Amino acid sequence: MQTWQKLKKNPKLWQKFFIREKIIQSIREFFFREKFHEVETPLLLPSVVPESYLEVFETHLLDRQRKKRRMFLATSPEASIKKLLVAGIGNCFEITKSFRNTETGSNLHNPEFTILEWYRVGADYKDVMRDCERLILHIYESIFRHAEFSSASNTKRKKILKQVQDDKMIKYQGNSIDLSSPWERISVPEALQKYAHISFDEITNKSGEMFSKEKVAQVAKEKGYRVEKKNSWEEIFNQIFLNEVEPHLGTHGKPTIIYDYPRPMAALSKIKETDPRLAERFEFYIAGLELGDCYTELTDYNEQKKRFAEEQKIRKIKGKTSVFPDEDFLEALKAGMPKCSGIAVGIDRLVMLFADTTNVADTLFFPLSEFTP
Amino acid sequence: MAKITTSQFEKGMFIEFKDEPHQIVEFQHVNPGKGSAFIRTKLKSLKSGKVQEFTYKSGESVEEIPINVFEMQYLYKTGDEFFFMDKGNFEQLAVDKNIVGNFANFIKEGEIYQILIHEDAAVGMRFPKKVRIKVTASDEAVKGNTVSGAKKVVTIETGVQITVPLFIKKGDTIAIDPETGVYLERVGQT
């Protein structure tokens, strides 16, 4: 049965879906209060930031003579927003659709999804950590009031208000999480030590070839993982991370901010001045759900150009669709991007969290899985 | 054993995990932020029945275990072993009590069950969701339980005692969930 049919049959289901509009409304409230601009950037682009782990949707633009030009659907609004930052827009946010091909067959991904990005100028990732804590609490309070108020009496409303002030607990799949700040903060090397009993030094070198495959492969093999020749440092590392570290993130009563990622996963983030093996990047998890990915933004044109070339090379090896790299983005960096920090948050995942559902398809009126059974 | 990759995963398939046969209960694709693709699975150990999560690298190779399902007749029990017979060739097979597990309370001589076999050894058994079984002795009602209706304890034909509603009498046939040992319904009366 399609979702619209289920809704027609059982009108009680609407409530779960209306959580989305409430979340989007409270995100706008939050950023307007913070005096952020809301921007709109294109979904249809002639070039993209080459990222080795993302597959793109490719299409063609036809001009009036039906001459074809290759175009791509945006995998995120990041490059476009950064051009606006260079132009001087200041603090800003966007709520938009993004598209990532091949991400089917999963409860956590829909190839077309809704993304929130915001950028704070003059800030680093620590400032955005605090933004996350405040934003999620704001959403929580809006939803809680909305849900309970719609049918509550006056005395009950007062009680609810007090409860919202005293108690910031959310329940996701039986896991109770206290959303009040401060959240748990743990670095990737610390988490690796704590949960997988590996020191970061064991799987890297402090200089020279920092991410030696031999070192990480050795540790993985000792733990019983199967390592093949074709596997990269990132794959071997992430398999250990996903099996041994991730199950602990945001599941011990508090949301978790996990920060300082290994350089092979730096993407567009700035390298740490105190340790060149790590990048100023964090993710936050609530009840095991990965919700957001933040960087202190890389503003160095030369470094970004180098990463473009590296990512293009890996894309080719992995057999990904060849893309035109966004040279205009490099041009913008060259013109000078202000120091800033930005984050991408999955709105569909936020709906999953607040609707207490384990499948992203249950948050969408028209999940892709209904079109492609 | 046959080498396969994660792209050939199917629900219900048997694979080797940590040197032991496991069944894929569930699997899905996951992409960590800025990372490669992975496959998250729930694997059920055929030996212990324990379910655990494991995340494979996309494209990782694993050993598929050929498992055959045989319909066999339960004969008798000695010590820790339950003996079944293949009615086609009359060969007998011993199944360890760990594999039969709780189902031992409801297994009936002469009935046909599905046994999972790997390399000539039983590695698992498929249990029905419901078993029909006769009540052979009935006691008085248990006092005090008035909230959810009074209950009493009866003895069933396999010699095990279970709790049932008051209206169940000796000679009735009842349905039980073999996994939990909980009474489901009355399916036949004397």
Side-chain angles (χ1 to χ4, degrees):
Chain A
M1 204 189 284
Q2 305 295 86
T3 300
W4 67 264
Q5 288 165 320
K6 289 183 202 155
L7 285 164
K8 193 164 190 288
K9 214 173 152 188
N10 181 9
K12 271 190 194 155
L13 288 177
W14 287 105
Q15 282 314 315
K16 200 175 65 186
F17 286 90
F18 289 151
I19 288 179
R20 176 179 294 267
E21 63 180 33
K22 203 65 213 162
I23 288 175
I24 290 175
Q25 188 190 336
S26 56
I27 291 169
R28 289 211 161 93
E29 266 167 27
F30 180 85
F31 285 108
F32 289 147
R33 209 173 59 192
E34 297 279 313
K35 307 256 183 299
F36 275 52
H37 281 291
E38 180 169 4
V39 300
E40 206 172 84
T41 59
L43 301 185
L44 189 62
L45 294 161
S47 58
V48 294
V49 171
E51 290 189 82
S52 56
Y53 307 115
L54 297 184
E55 185 53 295
V56 293
F57 280 90
E58 185 186 358
T59 184
H60 289 96
L61 178 75
L62 299 177
D63 70 10
R64 292 191 183 261
Q65 281 73 47
R66 300 194 70 79
K67 207 177 126 203
K68 271 186 185 176
R69 180 181 174 162
R70 284 178 84 207
M71 299 286 277
F72 307 96
L73 297 184
T75 55
S76 88
E78 182 164 5
S80 299
I81 299 180
K82 283 183 174 170
K83 292 174 194 175
L84 298 175
L85 289 165
V86 170
I89 190 166
N91 295 346
C92 61
F93 76 102
E94 177 166 16
I95 295 169
T96 187
K97 284 292 182 91
S98 287
F99 298 84
R100 294 179 185 178
N101 219 338
T102 72
E103 295 192 356
T104 58
S106 173
N107 288 344
L108 294 171
H109 303 273
N110 197 65
E112 170 183 349
F113 63 103
T114 308
I115 191 170
L116 160 69
E117 290 208 352
W118 76 87
Y119 291 82
R120 204 176 256 287
V121 173
D124 67 9
Y125 67 156
K126 288 191 176 135
D127 299 301
V128 177
M129 290 178 192
R130 284 186 287 273
D131 282 344
C132 290
E133 291 174 329
R134 288 168 51 232
L135 172 68
I136 297 298
L137 257 185
H138 178 75
I139 297 172
Y140 165 81
E141 288 174 3
S142 312
I143 290 177
F144 198 98
R145 281 189 194 137
H146 176 77
E148 301 286 331
F149 267 37
S150 49
S151 61
S153 66
N154 264 343
T155 42
K156 199 174 172 208
R157 283 178 199 210
K158 270 185 198 155
K159 212 173 128 195
I160 291 165
L161 269 183
K162 189 163 182 326
Q163 201 185 336
V164 170
Q165 274 158 8
D166 298 347
D167 167 18
K168 319 284 189 201
M169 300 297 283
I170 187 173
K171 235 190 178 160
Y172 180 72
Q173 300 299 304
N175 209 330
S176 286
I177 307 293
D178 173 11
L179 296 177
S180 63
S181 63
W183 292 355
E184 180 197 18
R185 283 166 167 73
I186 188 167
S187 72
V188 171
E190 280 165 4
L192 212 54
Q193 184 69 59
K194 186 170 175 185
Y195 300 120
H197 314 291
I198 299 172
S199 84
F200 195 56
D201 292 341
E202 259 177 276
I203 54 169
T204 56
N205 292 314
K206 279 185 176 154
S207 57
E209 197 203 335
M210 288 190 274
F211 297 93
S212 142
K213 224 178 93 173
E214 286 67 39
K215 279 187 113 172
V216 74
Q218 179 66 28
V219 170
K221 275 184 201 156
E222 279 166 20
K223 281 178 163 284
Y225 293 99
R226 191 184 284 237
V227 177
E228 292 168 62
K229 247 200 168 126
K230 60 177 184 191
N231 294 138
S232 65
W233 188 93
E234 174 271 324
E235 277 180 295
I236 302 167
F237 168 85
N238 256 333
Q239 189 174 25
I240 299 172
F241 184 86
L242 291 173
N243 277 299
E244 301 181 40
V245 178
E246 201 187 43
H248 296 281
L249 302 179
T251 53
H252 300 316
K254 276 275 187 184
T256 300
I257 291 171
I258 180 157
Y259 63 95
D260 288 352
Y261 274 73
R263 194 179 181 144
M265 279 156 267
L268 306 183
S269 59
K270 186 186 151 204
I271 299 302
K272 253 182 117 60
E273 272 157 28
T274 50
D275 190 339
R277 294 170 299 173
L278 297 170
E280 289 196 3
R281 171 181 162 209
F282 79 80
E283 296 216 1
F284 75 94
Y285 284 78
I286 302 179
L289 272 181
E290 178 201 344
L291 291 162
D293 187 9
C294 167
Y295 317 138
T296 298
E297 300 299 343
L298 176 68
T299 53
D300 181 342
Y301 158 75
N302 288 312
E303 169 70 18
Q304 187 65 73
K305 199 177 167 187
K306 210 172 83 193
R307 286 193 207 171
F308 261 41
E310 281 167 13
E311 295 289 302
Q312 282 283 59
K313 217 158 80 190
I314 304 174
R315 284 188 69 87
K316 204 168 179 185
I317 294 167
K318 292 195 166 193
K320 295 255 157 55
T321 306
S322 75
V323 293
F324 301 123
D326 190 346
E327 300 287 348
D328 188 45
F329 169 62
L330 289 178
E331 206 51 47
L333 283 188
K334 206 174 176 180
M337 186 163 87
K339 178 188 172 220
C340 64
S341 178
I343 184 166
V345 173
I347 288 188
D348 313 281
R349 299 249 183 112
L350 279 180
V351 182
M352 282 174 72
L353 175 73
F354 285 104
D356 195 14
T357 162
T358 53
N359 192 342
V360 69
D362 294 337
T363 72
L364 302 165
F365 287 134
F366 303 97
L368 189 89
S369 50
E370 276 181 17
F371 302 133
T372 55
Chain B
M1 281 197 284
K3 209 166 230 178
I4 58 160
T5 77
T6 56
S7 62
Q8 289 155 283
F9 275 7
E10 276 172 35
K11 229 170 162 172
M13 181 181 258
F14 294 91
I15 59 171
E16 191 179 76
F17 175 67
K18 292 192 175 156
D19 299 326
E20 278 185 23
H22 282 72
Q23 187 170 25
I24 301 177
V25 184
E26 229 178 85
F27 74 97
Q28 65 160 321
H29 300 264
V30 288
N31 294 67
K34 311 300 164 198
S36 303
F38 291 84
I39 319 286
R40 185 162 284 164
T41 59
K42 275 197 180 133
L43 303 173
K44 185 177 177 182
S45 162
L46 278 188
K47 278 194 183 144
S48 67
K50 211 180 99 189
V51 176
Q52 59 175 313
E53 282 200 357
F54 187 75
T55 304
Y56 287 96
K57 294 181 283 285
S58 184
E60 187 168 339
S61 47
V62 287
E63 299 287 349
E64 184 188 1
I65 298 175
I67 298 276
N68 294 308
V69 182
F70 284 93
E71 304 235 307
M72 297 184 99
Q73 187 180 35
Y74 173 55
L75 299 176
Y76 58 91
K77 183 191 170 196
T78 50
D80 286 347
E81 290 183 320
F82 290 75
F83 283 86
F84 290 81
M85 182 180 70
D86 184 334
K87 282 183 93 175
N89 57 17
F90 304 105
E91 270 183 37
Q92 288 193 17
L93 178 82
V95 177
D96 191 84
K97 71 165 194 252
N98 288 331
I99 289 171
V100 182
N102 278 344
F103 196 70
N105 290 332
F106 308 104
I107 194 164
K108 285 196 289 189
E109 285 171 18
E111 297 265 311
I112 305 290
Y113 296 98
Q114 290 189 328
I115 313 286
L116 309 180
I117 297 186
H118 165 57
E119 289 177 348
D120 296 332
V123 290
M125 234 183 116
R126 276 198 195 134
F127 308 116
K129 285 253 178 291
K130 240 188 220 184
V131 290
R132 288 151 177 263
I133 215 148
K134 225 177 190 131
V135 177
T136 50
S138 168
D139 292 350
E140 290 308 301
V142 178
K143 276 184 243 163
N145 188 356
T146 50
V147 180
S148 57
K151 298 268 169 77
K152 64 177 180 179
V153 175
V154 296
T155 307
I156 54 172
E157 61 183 303
T158 53
V160 181
Q161 294 200 320
I162 65 157
T163 307
V164 297
L166 278 182
F167 61 78
I168 298 296
K169 293 187 299 291
K170 182 179 166 187
D172 284 353
T173 304
I174 57 172
I176 295 167
D177 175 351
E179 205 155 322
T180 57
V182 170
Y183 163 89
L184 298 171
E185 59 182 340
R186 179 164 66 185
V187 290
Q189 272 176 274
T190 38

